[in-house]
Amino acid sequence: MKHILLLFLAISTLTCAQDKEPLLGETDWQRQMNADFKDATKSPLKDRDRKDFKGLDFFKFDSAYVVKAKLKRTPDEKPFKMKTTTERLANYVKYGVITFDLKGNQHELNIYQNLDLLEKPGYEDYLFLPFLDNTNGEESYSGGRYVEARIPNDDTILIDFNTAYNPYCAYNEKYSCPIVPRVNYLDAEVKAGVKAFHKH
């Protein structure tokens, strides 16, 4: 009886291992994104979309989109209400302006702090970079994408556009997402990060 039980446990373990598909993605960040989107407790996907979810569509990782930007802090900025996809207004302040070279062209974007997040442990140095680019509406989400960064000790900040992700409202209209300010339009094709999501 003991041998039969052990055999049953071994077969069950093997079956579970076979059922669990490996996470798709060529970088740790991509694999973590896919893990979160599969997880019902974290995923922004609607139930019917999560049921068939295999993985997000990413641009291929390209080190050209990992840029060292010059950060000019703007400490005298007044907090403002950033519009969202709902009637909610989000509390932000412009933290500074970043300038960087991308594929031979220089660009400038505003970078922000979410004032509501500042109170949360672990978010004291969090920066928010929403942007629009020339892939929007075709290869990437029409409303633009977001990149996260951390406040550096000096005036150089690393921005990795390979971690550009879609607002949650790209997957589910129940979410309230900050609308990318028009001033943060990047006149370039940012073929990095998460692509547009095609719903089922």
Side-chain angles (χ1 to χ4, degrees):
M1 183 68 184
K2 186 178 177 184
H3 292 300
I4 293 170
L5 183 61
L6 286 171
L7 182 63
F8 175 74
L9 285 171
I11 291 168
S12 298
T13 306
L14 187 64
T15 305
C16 289
Q18 286 172 341
D19 286 347
K20 191 165 184 178
E21 296 174 14
L23 288 169
L24 299 175
E26 63 172 326
T27 66
D28 288 342
W29 182 83
Q30 290 180 3
R31 286 187 285 272
Q32 186 59 56
M33 284 285 284
N34 280 335
D36 289 347
F37 271 64
K38 276 187 175 183
D39 184 342
T41 64
K42 298 178 182 177
S43 181
L45 295 174
K46 295 178 179 178
D47 289 342
R48 65 173 180 272
D49 291 324
R50 200 181 67 256
K51 184 166 63 77
D52 300 320
F53 180 75
K54 301 292 182 203
L56 292 169
D57 196 7
F58 299 98
F59 288 98
K60 190 165 179 59
F61 178 86
D62 186 344
S63 59
Y65 290 104
V66 183
V67 300
K68 278 187 179 176
K70 183 92 169 171
L71 171 65
K72 182 184 177 185
R73 290 170 172 83
T74 52
D76 299 325
E77 292 286 337
K78 288 186 171 68
F80 71 98
K81 303 287 187 182
M82 190 179 284
K83 290 182 179 178
T84 71
T85 51
T86 63
E87 291 183 4
R88 179 182 72 93
L89 295 172
N91 296 307
Y92 279 87
V93 67
K94 178 179 162 186
Y95 182 81
V97 178
I98 61 168
T99 53
F100 55 93
D101 186 83
L102 185 63
K103 298 201 168 187
N105 294 306
Q106 191 158 69
H107 300 280
E108 183 177 289
L109 292 173
N110 291 344
I111 197 162
Y112 304 92
Q113 273 185 313
N114 181 326
L115 296 176
D116 298 323
L117 273 184
L118 282 178
E119 309 300 318
K120 293 189 176 182
Y123 284 92
E124 299 85 357
D125 63 346
Y126 173 85
L127 293 175
F128 176 62
L129 182 65
F131 71 97
L132 298 155
D133 73 279
N134 293 337
T135 67
N136 297 157
E138 294 181 15
E139 292 172 284
S140 69
Y141 177 58
S142 58
R145 290 175 292 164
Y146 306 154
V147 172
E148 296 175 0
R150 296 284 175 176
I151 295 173
N153 294 324
D154 54 18
D155 61 355
T156 301
I157 185 168
L158 195 69
I159 302 295
D160 185 356
F161 286 102
N162 292 287
T163 63
Y165 63 94
N166 295 329
Y168 272 10
C169 43
Y171 310 99
N172 192 329
E173 61 277 359
K174 77 174 184 180
Y175 290 98
S176 175
C177 307
I179 294 171
V180 180
R182 285 299 310 172
V183 69
N184 265 26
Y185 164 63
L186 196 57
D187 188 13
E189 288 192 334
V190 180
K191 291 176 177 285
V194 180
K195 291 186 180 183
F197 179 67
H198 302 292
K199 298 179 182 181
H200 298 286

